[in-house]
Amino acid sequence: LASGSADFRAARDLYLAAHPTAAINFQLPDFIVFRVRPESARFVAGFGKIVDLDREAWAGLGRPDS
């Protein structure tokens, strides 16, 4: 994310809410924030418990069931 952009500021605020002692990282000139947009994922919950997730299934994670 471009330093100073609205997306960067939003990501920084979320990150610092979870990791407040990491604020010094954002003062470093080579500290970079990346956006990751997974196309798919494989969830391995243990022996014989493997689930492949496509983009739609991945996007739905963390949402309450409706």
Side-chain angles (χ1 to χ4, degrees):
L1 301 175
S3 180
S5 69
D7 286 342
F8 179 89
R9 289 189 302 272
R12 179 194 61 211
D13 293 347
L14 285 171
Y15 188 83
L16 291 177
H19 310 283
T21 59
I24 193 169
N25 293 336
F26 288 91
Q27 297 173 14
L28 300 171
D30 59 347
F31 187 74
I32 300 172
V33 177
F34 291 94
R35 177 179 313 202
V36 178
R37 294 183 177 157
E39 294 292 322
S40 63
R42 176 165 285 171
F43 177 67
V44 181
F47 184 75
K49 297 179 183 178
I50 301 171
V51 179
D52 289 326
L53 303 168
D54 61 13
R55 177 185 267 182
E56 184 178 324
W58 178 266
L61 293 177
R63 293 185 188 155
D65 292 336
S66 29

